[in-house]
């Protein structure tokens, strides 16, 4: 519910401000699309399976669920990597050079991200890697436990780990360290000035927001990655079901954090959310059958 409501608000705000969106903000929209796509396509089936105490739908639904998770997970990771690189380029370039990152360039980058994610998601279907149920039985993902007996599976995991996890994560870390150094040097240059320019404050706020988004995603998925890699080299039976379940749930919670981060750090987003709230309140009041002040529903919405 938090994921769908929060990211729907992000998409509604972006749609309302579509003509005013800057090129890098399109990646934020893409991240919201990936998060809400994961919530809609995966979570209802996982919740129903949890109530059923067993996976629903058999092998077909298991493959579908694992494919969607892999697709949206890689898409989110690569989107965060692209956001870090673009923020680094904008921060370390002059204003004229930063304007070269056009919307068309970002659209091409987003298309590449989705194609790259789709390629990795399809590979297990064509024989490189496997999809299968999680050890706790009510979720599906890459069949980690099969890989320690298969050179084909192990090569897939190694390649996926390097190209979809390690390399993007190192790129994110390197870019934000570079940005932090640049911002630190800029603050040193203006430390003798009583008033820090608004541009420097805005740059620091945008960087902090992007860092928190990346940290939230990586922190959420790190326990799951650790449990998965344990399953590669050891039997999955060596872990208690709760030990494999909690990291999985924690990883899925990553889709709900970003709207809260935007709300805290983005004044524009806060204003748009308030406008949406006012708009919804006005509509309910307007379409009420009894518009008298004695109607409690009318009073609540008008208030």
């Amino acid at each position: 519910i938090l994921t769908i409501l929060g990211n729907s608000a992000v998409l509604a705000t972006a749609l309302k401000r579509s003509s005013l969106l800057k090129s890098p903000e399109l990646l934020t929209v893409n991240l919201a699309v990936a998060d809400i796509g994961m919530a809609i396509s995966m979570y209802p089936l996982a919740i129903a399976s949890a109530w059923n105490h067993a996976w629903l739908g058999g092998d077909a639904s298991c493959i579908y669920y694992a494919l969607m998770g892999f697709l949206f997970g890689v898409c989110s990771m690569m989107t965060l990597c692209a956001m870090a690189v673009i923020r680094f380029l904008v921060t370390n370039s002059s204003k004229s050079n930063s304007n070269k990152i056009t919307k068309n360039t970002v659209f091409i980058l987003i298309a590449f991200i989705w194609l790259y994610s789709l390629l990795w998601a399809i590979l297990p279907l064509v024989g490189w890697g496997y999809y299968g149920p999680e050890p706790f039985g009510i979720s599906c993902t890459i069949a980690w436990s099969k890989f320690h007996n298969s050179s084909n599976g192990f090569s897939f995991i190694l390649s996926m780990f390097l190209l979809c996890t390690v390399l993007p994560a190192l790129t994110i870390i390197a870019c934000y360290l570079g940005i932090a150094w640049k911002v630190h040097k800029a603050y040193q240059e203006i430390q003798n000035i009583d008033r820090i320019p608004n541009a420097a404050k805005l740059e620091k706020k945008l960087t902090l927001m992007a860092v928190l988004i990346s940290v939230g995603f990586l922190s959420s998925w790190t326990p799951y990655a650790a449990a998965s890699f344990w399953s590669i080299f050891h039997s999955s039976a060596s872990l208690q079901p709760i030990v494999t379940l909690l990291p999985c749930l924690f990883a899925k919670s990553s889709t709900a954090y970003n709207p809260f981060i935007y709300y805290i750090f983005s004044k524009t987003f806060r204003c748009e959310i308030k406008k949406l709230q006012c708009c919804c309140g006005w509509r309910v009041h307007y379409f009420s059958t009894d518009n008298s002040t004695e109607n409690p529903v009318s009073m609540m919405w008008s208030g």
Side-chain angles (χ1 to χ4, degrees), residues 3 10 16-17 45 61-62 92 100 103 111 128 159 169-171 174 181 204 213 220 228 235 243 246 251 262 266 276:
T3 297
V10 173
K16 189 176 180 182
R17 299 181 58 251
L45 186 56
S61 64
C62 185
N92 288 274
K100 292 181 179 179
K103 287 188 176 181
W128 195 31
S159 302
L170 290 178
T171 302
W181 177 251
K204 184 178 180 180
I213 292 170
S220 299
S228 300
S235 172
V243 177
L246 290 179
Y262 302 146
S266 175
L276 286 175

Side-chain angles (χ1 to χ4, degrees), residues 18 49 54 65 77 102-103 123 141 177 179 216 263 283 296:
S18 57
S49 297
Y65 184 92
M77 185 65 170
T102 63
K103 287 188 176 181
L123 286 175
T141 185
L177 286 177
I179 293 172
Y263 190 85
R283 285 176 180 173

Side-chain angles (χ1 to χ4, degrees), residues 15-253:
L15 182 63
K16 189 176 180 182
R17 299 181 58 251
S18 57
S19 60
L20 302 175
L21 285 179
K22 298 179 181 178
S23 302
E25 290 178 310
L26 295 174
L27 290 170
T28 302
V29 175
N30 191 57
L31 189 60
V33 169
D35 288 343
I36 201 171
M38 182 177 287
I40 293 174
S41 65
M42 298 172 59
Y43 295 174
L45 186 56
I47 293 170
S49 297
W51 281 104
N52 187 55
H53 300 281
W55 182 252
L56 294 173
D59 292 339
S61 64
C62 185
I63 292 174
Y64 158 80
Y65 184 92
L67 187 145
M68 290 294 105
F70 200 14
L71 171 65
F72 290 120
V74 174
C75 180
S76 297
M77 185 65 170
M78 300 310 297
T79 301
L80 291 172
C81 182
M83 288 172 62
V85 171
I86 289 182
R87 283 231 52 80
F88 178 79
L89 294 176
V90 170
T91 303
N92 288 274
S93 301
S94 62
K95 188 174 181 180
S96 59
N97 289 331
S98 64
N99 290 333
K100 292 181 179 179
I101 303 176
T102 63
K103 287 188 176 181
N104 288 335
T105 303
V106 177
F107 278 130
I108 293 172
L109 180 59
I110 290 173
F112 172 78
I113 288 172
W114 281 102
L115 290 174
Y116 184 82
S117 305
L118 183 62
L119 172 65
W120 280 101
I122 290 176
L123 286 175
L125 300 181
V126 297
W128 195 31
Y130 313 97
Y131 286 136
E134 299 267 21
F136 51 87
I138 56 172
S139 180
C140 292
T141 185
I142 298 170
W144 305 96
S145 58
K146 292 184 179 181
F147 293 142
H148 64 277
N149 294 325
S150 169
S151 58
N152 174 43
F154 188 78
S155 64
F156 170 78
I157 279 296
L158 185 61
S159 302
M160 185 273 292
F161 179 65
L162 291 175
L163 298 177
C164 298
T165 306
V166 174
L167 188 59
L170 290 178
T171 302
I172 291 170
I173 293 171
C175 287
Y176 287 132
L177 286 177
I179 293 172
W181 177 251
K182 178 73 175 180
V183 172
H184 173 70
K185 295 295 289 184
Y187 268 73
Q188 279 189 331
E189 293 175 0
I190 60 176
Q191 62 182 352
N192 295 326
I193 303 177
D194 293 334
R195 185 177 181 182
I196 299 175
N198 289 332
K201 292 181 180 178
L202 178 61
E203 188 66 36
K204 184 178 180 180
K205 182 180 290 187
L206 290 174
T207 301
L208 181 59
M209 182 175 71
V211 168
L212 287 176
I213 292 170
S214 299
V215 168
F217 183 85
L218 295 175
S219 300
S220 299
W221 283 93
T222 297
Y224 180 76
S228 300
F229 269 83
W230 176 271
S231 300
I232 295 175
F233 301 104
H234 303 82
S235 172
S236 57
S238 61
L239 294 175
Q240 294 293 326
I242 193 69
V243 177
T244 57
L245 173 62
L246 290 179
C248 183
L249 295 178
F250 192 46
K252 287 179 170 62
S253 71

